[in-house]
Amino acid sequence: QVHLVESGGGSVYPGGSLRLSCTASGDTDSLNSMGWFRQAPGENRVGIGAIRIDLNKTYYPDSVKGRFTVSQDNAKKTAYLQMDNVEAEDTAMYYCAAGVRRYASTSLFVSAAYNYWGQGTQVTVSS
């Protein structure tokens, strides 16, 4: 069992930056992937970044590539989502997720690839 706790959400102006954190506890040695997702009102939950922990490699969809960065601090059992140059369209509830299976990169943006989820943290981008 793995427990994920997110933090760092809030309000930010367009063009600003924000860093979200996701701290994991429990059987973290079982994890092979971490993902970041977001869900705007009336929209589906979509993946915005992922890490294959075993491969130490990160992945991003085109929508955020070049603006968002995922990283991890293994010593702190924490994953991060660094959001730079945010846009109004980035407003959403953001979730971190952790998975056990070693999915291909093309599957890491699918919710079903993950076993555990954080509670979510709201990010609002507005002037």
Side-chain angles (χ1 to χ4, degrees):
Q1 190 71 28
V2 175
H3 185 228
L4 305 176
V5 178
E6 300 179 3
S7 62
S11 297
V12 61
Y13 292 112
S17 297
L18 203 65
R19 189 179 74 164
L20 308 183
S21 300
C22 176
T23 299
S25 61
D27 188 19
T28 57
D29 288 340
S30 69
L31 302 178
N32 286 294
S33 60
M34 294 287 296
W36 285 97
F37 291 76
R38 69 185 182 189
Q39 186 170 22
E43 303 290 336
N44 293 322
R45 185 175 299 184
V46 297
I48 54 173
I51 305 173
R52 270 288 295 272
I53 297 172
D54 59 323
L55 299 177
N56 192 29
K57 189 172 180 64
T58 57
Y59 307 89
Y60 307 92
D62 291 340
S63 60
V64 303
K65 197 170 187 178
R67 299 191 300 119
F68 291 5
T69 304
V70 296
S71 61
Q72 61 180 333
D73 185 330
N74 289 330
K76 296 182 178 180
K77 304 293 185 181
T78 300
Y80 302 96
L81 176 66
Q82 178 67 43
M83 306 168 60
D84 294 322
N85 193 26
V86 297
E87 306 168 354
E89 292 75 17
D90 296 321
T91 296
M93 184 72 73
Y94 284 71
Y95 301 88
C96 68
V100 176
R101 297 280 299 276
R102 296 182 175 89
Y103 285 102
S105 61
T106 53
S107 297
L108 291 174
F109 302 130
V110 179
S111 296
Y114 298 91
N115 305 96
Y116 309 101
W117 292 84
Q119 80 284 359
T121 183
Q122 178 69 37
V123 173
T124 302
V125 182
S126 63
S127 300

